[in-house]
Amino acid sequence: MTRVWLVLAGLGLAALLAMIAHAAWRAVEADHAAPAAATIGATASGYEADAHFPGAALLYAGEGPRPAMAAPARGTTGTAPLPALPIPAAMAAAIVAANTGVVPARPFAFAGGATDRARAAECLTAAIYYEAASEPDAGQQAVAQVVLNRVRHPAFPATVCGVVYQGSEHAGCQFSFACDGATARVPSRAGWARAAHVAGAALAGYVFAPVGLATHYHTYAVTPAWNRALVMTDAVGAHFFHRWKGYWGTAAAFSQHYRGGEPVPGPHVPVAAPPVALATIVPAPAAARAFAALPLDRAGVRVAALSAAVAAAAGAGWERVAHAARPDDATLVALARTLTD
């Protein structure tokens, strides 16, 4: 009886594996039938025309369109638009044709001063810790390599902190931890020290060769919108690593030089919406009530509606309110008192 059950279980497992393989093959065939990109910067060839990895098509199920610069979900990087090709298309095509396999990145050459080094180390440590604290050493080294690869790619900022916190001023972070409040949690002392060790080695020139020129990654649990437009270079720990197709995924594209000038570590200051220029006539009491009902912004200043000087109209109980440059809080308080007198 035991043997019968074992045979039945084996047959059931074999049938399940066959169904999965069939579904993956059908999806890969459909992917290959899609029209190729028209420009040399995204044309697939050789390995790039194949599936990223066995069974990858199963991860595409239910994938819908997402904005290219939207803040990524946890476990994936964001992406960025590519610049125009810096060389003729024919030359780019020749470079792509000669670029085979996974090409290791060049060792990172640090060119900043002591302040830049300290800031770069802090930002890279934060990226490694919050993106891969539970990963083995190889997983953390791979994340560090992606950050430094981006520093040298023209599609991204030319500083470590600039790369790590790119987009945080618009809540469209390239690395999800910079926008999702993860940094509010106090890091583990041992975990931070481990991440700092990996960051220091990477900044000193250590290259994690298996991921090559990868500039993106995502976990097994996430399928980002950019996944099909890139080429997988390796799977390390819980992450899949990808580089761009075509010229922008070759070593020649990583031409941006690091010259220091690291910004202060941490999310960038949010960009305020530009002031709205318009003018209206409102009764003084109504203006005062409107002002009192307005919320405060982060700087403690009343938001837009009563954010400029008020001039009294002679002989009338009306005030002209011009919405222009925002004054400080004290000016607005004095304005409110004037309106209520």
Side-chain angles (χ1 to χ4, degrees):
M1 180 62 71
T2 302
R3 289 184 178 180
V4 172
W5 281 110
L6 289 175
V7 170
L8 291 175
L11 290 174
L13 180 59
L16 177 61
L17 292 175
M19 291 173 63
I20 292 174
H22 180 68
W25 179 250
R26 290 281 299 276
V28 169
E29 283 185 324
D31 189 38
H32 288 180
T39 62
I40 186 64
T43 301
S45 62
Y47 169 70
E48 299 182 7
D50 298 331
H52 295 329
F53 49 92
L58 297 179
L59 293 181
Y60 299 148
E63 178 62 29
R66 297 181 189 175
M69 293 296 289
R74 288 189 179 183
T76 179
T77 60
T79 190
L82 289 169
L85 282 174
I87 58 177
M91 187 181 298
I95 292 174
V96 172
N99 187 70
T100 58
V102 177
V103 179
R106 300 189 312 275
F108 187 77
F110 194 88
T115 298
D116 285 330
R117 182 175 292 275
R119 289 179 175 180
E122 182 176 343
C123 290
L124 187 55
T125 299
I128 295 167
Y129 179 83
Y130 289 107
E131 294 285 300
S134 60
E135 290 286 294
D137 289 347
Q140 294 197 350
Q141 291 162 352
V143 168
Q145 191 64 58
V146 165
V147 173
L148 297 187
N149 284 352
R150 286 190 171 207
V151 172
R152 290 188 291 200
H153 199 285
F156 300 102
T159 62
V160 177
C161 292
V163 163
V164 171
Y165 293 102
Q166 182 183 7
S168 58
E169 66 276 16
H170 300 293
C173 298
Q174 291 288 313
F175 295 89
S176 57
F177 83 91
C179 278
D180 65 9
T183 55
R185 301 192 301 269
V186 178
S188 155
R189 180 176 299 180
W192 187 267
R194 178 168 167 252
H197 176 76
V198 172
L203 292 172
Y206 174 79
V207 174
F208 187 72
V211 298
L213 300 172
T215 48
H216 299 64
Y217 61 77
H218 67 87
T219 65
Y220 293 91
V222 181
T223 306
W226 49 253
N227 190 38
R228 286 189 167 188
L230 276 72
V231 179
M232 181 178 154
T233 59
D234 200 8
V236 183
H239 291 96
F240 293 119
F241 292 83
H242 301 259
R243 67 169 174 83
W244 265 300
K245 292 181 179 180
Y247 170 80
W248 291 112
T250 68
F254 291 75
S255 59
Q256 185 165 258
H257 297 290
Y258 177 83
R259 295 188 177 89
E262 292 285 348
V264 176
H268 303 322
V269 176
V271 175
V276 178
L278 56 98
T280 57
I281 302 288
V282 293
R289 286 194 299 272
F291 171 79
L294 291 173
L296 291 171
D297 67 12
R298 291 185 179 181
V301 179
R302 299 289 179 184
V303 292
L306 288 177
S307 59
V310 175
W318 296 80
E319 313 292 342
R320 180 175 295 275
V321 182
H323 302 267
R326 292 168 24 165
D328 57 26
D329 195 46
T331 302
L332 290 174
V333 169
L335 169 60
R337 289 174 178 168
T338 301
L339 293 173
T340 54
D341 288 339

